[in-house]
Amino acid sequence: MFFKEFEIRWSDLDANRHLANSAYINFMSHTRMAYLGQLGFNQKSMEQYSIGPVVFYEHMYYFKEVFPGKPVKVSLGFKGMSEDGMFFEFQHDFYDADGKNFARCEMMGAWMDLKERKLMALPQLFMDAFHKMEKSEDFKTLTKADTRKFAKVPKDL
């Protein structure tokens, strides 16, 4: 499992002086891109293939407050991917300096062709990189139906 460590900065706090929701989102995004960067997904390679990630949802579960003063770690678990690589699902867990899990997030996304502005299957180069990732015990092959399991899509879209 991949971990990224963060220092909680003043700007990461909310009015209650604990870690703000927006900081959780930023920490997760940074963790994902740091790991994907190690696999060859970086600004240069994504630009070359005109590809970018799109987040469908991020479901947060908060177990305990966390405050500044000690570092936190964020994990990345690979929970699912469609056969063509278009859709992906990750789980992030947040740990305090004592190793206690204080939050979890389930997120799902897809890859978008930045020229056509539509979802796309992954090029083989990126599929090969994803196949190197350690999969979670509950990993599953995703379908389009999985991307809509929480959605209440307006009829006029």
Side-chain angles (χ1 to χ4, degrees):
M1 182 160 310
F2 181 77
F3 290 91
K4 182 93 176 133
E5 187 172 282
F6 296 92
E7 172 188 351
I8 299 175
R9 304 162 303 173
W10 174 257
S11 61
D12 296 324
L13 304 179
D14 66 11
N16 296 320
R17 295 191 271 320
H18 59 209
L19 192 60
N21 175 273
S22 59
Y24 285 87
I25 302 298
N26 289 331
F27 288 175
M28 291 183 300
S29 177
H30 192 95
T31 300
R32 283 192 301 273
M33 295 317 294
Y35 185 72
L36 291 174
Q38 290 181 5
L39 295 176
F41 283 80
N42 55 43
Q43 292 292 336
K44 185 176 181 179
S45 64
M46 287 191 282
E47 180 182 357
Q48 180 182 358
Y49 285 88
S50 189
I51 188 173
V54 176
V55 174
F56 289 160
Y57 64 77
E58 293 174 307
H59 292 156
M60 285 296 306
Y61 303 92
Y62 302 99
F63 310 135
K64 184 181 164 194
E65 290 182 291
V66 66
F67 302 96
K70 294 184 179 176
V72 297
K73 286 186 180 179
V74 181
S75 70
L76 173 68
F78 186 28
K79 294 196 44 103
M81 187 172 79
S82 60
E83 286 184 9
D84 63 0
M86 180 184 294
F87 306 117
F88 57 86
E89 186 173 21
F90 296 124
Q91 178 175 306
H92 294 282
D93 281 292
F94 291 75
Y95 298 94
D96 65 17
D98 297 324
K100 294 182 181 148
N101 185 208
F102 64 85
R104 170 170 293 151
C105 180
E106 299 163 351
M107 75 79 59
M108 182 177 283
W111 297 100
M112 182 168 79
D113 181 316
L114 298 177
K115 290 179 184 167
E116 300 291 323
R117 307 308 289 182
K118 64 181 187 177
L119 300 182
M120 64 180 284
L122 277 179
Q124 192 60 46
L125 169 79
F126 296 117
M127 286 293 287
D128 293 344
F130 261 107
H131 288 305
K132 294 176 187 173
M133 288 182 72
E134 179 183 346
K135 295 176 175 72
S136 64
E137 288 181 18
D138 57 348
F139 181 90
K140 72 178 268 189
T141 300
L142 301 174
T143 66
K144 186 174 182 178
D146 292 309
T147 70
R148 301 290 187 204
K149 64 184 174 184
F150 297 110
K152 293 190 178 15
V153 180
K155 292 185 190 305
D156 60 345
L157 285 184

